[in-house]
Amino acid sequence: MLKSRKYLLMLLVGLLMSVLLIGCSGDGEEDTSGDNDTDTTEDDSEDTSSDGVNVGIVLPTRDEPRWVQDEQRFKDALADSDYTTEILFSQGSSANELQNVETLISRGIDVLIISPQDGDAAGAAARAANLEGIPVISYDRLITNTDAVDYYVTFDSLAVGEAQGQYLVDNVEGEGVPLYLYAGAASDNNAFLFFEGAWSVLQPKIADGTFVVANSSIAEELSDTQELTRDDMGRILGQITTNWDPNEAINKAQTHLTSAGPELKGDIAILAPNDGTARSIADTFAADSEVTNYVITGQDAEKASIQYIIDGKQSMTVFKDVRRLVEDAMGMAITILDGDTPETTGAYDNGSVEVPALQSEVIVVDEENVQSELIDSGYYEASEFTGLE
Ligand code: BGC
């Protein structure tokens, strides 16, 4: 089935190229989405055409180290592979994302691995692949409210949030500790899972007075509600979202600090959803002379945040081993290319269907175990950091 579709696609591509050649006088090397890496591994697999691509990979943005790291880990994993791949970035735009998927379809991909910019909007890109009979693997972020997604490869995102919440609970002292809550983008299903996980741990400690929510009136209102609905979370996220943007995180943190009285300063706790926003928020709080000490979370084990942890500027990160995620995603893609059904360990409801999923675990990293988890394990080189013992 895959092969006959490929021949049909090659025919179509040929047709499209002749039309383009007639229509344009350009150099034919145009990069449609502006900032893409069109690095394609060598084509030595027997069933591909000379410029065919087996697996198309679409990642959200090059502007965050998290996704540049995924790109690198894909390249490392594919260095000796017989399969050809192409990685394109959507640069924060669902329109680019759709265009990227269309480009990859025209290159003859047999499997699409995609981490959506916006879970709902990516339904159109998934549908475009689905209509061509191309299986779609949602990568790290779930494509929502469509049945055009076949599999999901992910970390345990609820566990990420739980670990963040638990770290704050375990590392503050006393009663009435001001708690600043921040979250990811509401267009990303993960932002809800992270918040849900964190809330499950933090809520009892808000209800019993250990924490006082400092920056969300809706979270305060809901402080006795252990299980929030998606709608409840959406309302809280509306107040505390960073949109995954470090600059937006700085602006929000500054606004919150400006309106906070001295009783909401001193020794505080901060739920920051990921490393990029954690560094911005930490710097903003550190610059406030009335903040005497802060405990702040993160996730992704970005190099810059590992340095922050070593320097005592960020308290923890949740390490998500991208090598494992890449291995799972490529393993799944290759199983599909071989005509077999990939193994899954559960399913995620995407609002339309239950998407079969393969999930991997996460690890909490702070100054105590940064050496063993990230350096001794070979994930990073000691020489990439200063101040490591
Ligand atoms: C990913 C995080 C990442 C965030 C911002 C989430 O979907 O799971 O690892 O930090 O998006 O890009």
Side-chain angles (χ1 to χ4, degrees):
M1 188 189 95
L2 289 175
K3 276 199 168 167
S4 58
R5 189 184 48 71
K6 172 161 274 172
Y7 295 134
L8 191 75
L9 272 173
M10 279 168 59
L11 239 148
L12 279 173
V13 172
L15 218 95
L16 192 79
M17 280 177 66
S18 3
V19 172
L20 283 176
L21 280 173
I22 295 165
C24 334
S25 56
D27 61 9
E29 301 254 314
E30 197 185 352
D31 183 350
T32 47
S33 59
D35 205 357
N36 279 330
D37 182 346
T38 51
D39 180 35
T40 308
T41 56
E42 278 315 300
D43 179 10
D44 49 8
S45 132
E46 38 160 290
D47 70 342
T48 54
S49 64
S50 58
D51 59 353
V53 174
N54 298 130
V55 182
I57 301 165
V58 179
L59 297 175
T61 178
R62 261 185 181 294
D63 295 341
E64 292 175 39
R66 156 71 218 262
W67 302 111
V68 176
Q69 193 186 142
D70 289 66
E71 178 193 31
Q72 189 54 49
R73 301 293 184 187
F74 267 112
K75 285 181 177 171
D76 294 347
L78 291 161
D80 300 321
S81 166
D82 281 346
Y83 293 96
T84 56
T85 61
E86 181 156 348
I87 304 174
L88 300 179
F89 282 88
S90 307
Q91 291 311 103
S93 149
S94 298
N96 278 349
E97 183 176 77
L98 179 58
Q99 200 175 12
N100 283 340
V101 169
E102 280 164 355
T103 301
L104 292 169
I105 293 173
S106 74
R107 302 244 163 100
I109 56 166
D110 292 316
V111 181
L112 173 67
I113 296 175
I114 173 169
S115 188
Q117 169 55 33
D118 173 312
D120 278 352
R127 179 65 64 204
N130 174 269
L131 287 174
E132 300 294 334
I134 299 167
V136 176
I137 302 174
S138 214
Y139 177 83
D140 190 288
R141 296 177 175 176
L142 186 58
I143 301 175
T144 39
N145 294 311
T146 175
D147 62 4
V149 50
D150 298 277
Y151 295 102
Y152 183 30
V153 176
T154 183
F155 293 105
D156 183 345
S157 295
L158 269 181
V160 171
E162 284 163 7
Q164 293 172 331
Q166 195 59 50
Y167 197 90
L168 296 180
V169 170
D170 293 345
N171 287 279
V172 297
E173 279 174 14
E175 293 289 299
V177 179
L179 171 65
Y180 290 80
L181 299 169
Y182 295 94
S187 57
D188 175 4
N189 188 55
N190 283 348
F192 288 84
L193 296 174
F194 301 145
F195 190 80
E196 183 183 343
W199 183 260
S200 70
V201 178
L202 292 172
Q203 180 275 329
K205 296 291 177 185
I206 298 169
D208 77 6
T210 305
F211 292 115
V212 174
V213 177
N215 65 336
S216 165
S217 55
I218 298 171
E220 250 183 292
E221 260 169 44
L222 292 166
S223 61
D224 286 327
T225 310
Q226 164 75 122
E227 278 186 32
L228 300 176
T229 62
R230 180 122 179 155
D231 188 50
D232 290 336
M233 285 191 280
R235 288 167 60 225
I236 298 176
L237 258 62
Q239 293 188 315
I240 60 166
T241 184
T242 60
N243 274 319
W244 293 132
D245 175 354
N247 290 322
E248 193 163 332
I250 292 178
N251 293 340
K252 279 238 155 88
Q254 257 158 3
T255 307
H256 295 148
L257 280 168
T258 306
S259 60
E263 75 290 357
L264 292 178
K265 297 202 179 164
D267 289 1
I268 62 163
I270 309 169
L271 177 74
N274 74 346
D275 285 350
T277 56
R279 294 193 300 277
S280 299
I281 296 168
D283 289 346
T284 310
F285 277 84
D288 187 306
S289 58
E290 288 178 309
V291 172
T292 42
N293 190 33
Y294 61 85
V295 181
I296 188 167
T297 61
Q299 79 166 292
D300 292 333
E302 285 184 3
K303 279 183 204 164
S305 279
I306 298 312
Q307 189 62 58
Y308 262 47
I309 289 174
I310 297 167
D311 295 342
K313 298 199 284 188
Q314 182 176 325
S315 315
M316 63 88 85
T317 188
V318 181
F319 171 40
K320 309 199 298 189
D321 190 335
V322 174
R323 293 172 303 190
R324 172 73 196 276
L325 201 65
V326 162
E327 198 180 292
D328 283 353
M330 282 310 298
M332 205 176 243
I334 289 166
T335 306
I336 294 171
L337 285 169
D338 289 347
D340 295 325
T341 305
E343 263 182 46
T344 50
T345 49
Y348 274 72
D349 182 352
N350 82 340
S352 169
V353 284
E354 291 283 325
V355 185
L358 187 57
Q359 180 168 286
S360 50
E361 299 311 311
V362 298
I363 297 170
V364 171
V365 169
D366 67 3
E367 58 184 353
E368 298 300 323
N369 64 348
V370 64
Q371 172 80 34
S372 58
E373 289 298 344
L374 294 176
I375 310 297
D376 300 348
S377 71
Y379 199 74
Y380 290 136
E381 302 279 328
S383 60
E384 295 175 284
F385 306 99
T386 56
L388 264 178
E389 291 310 310

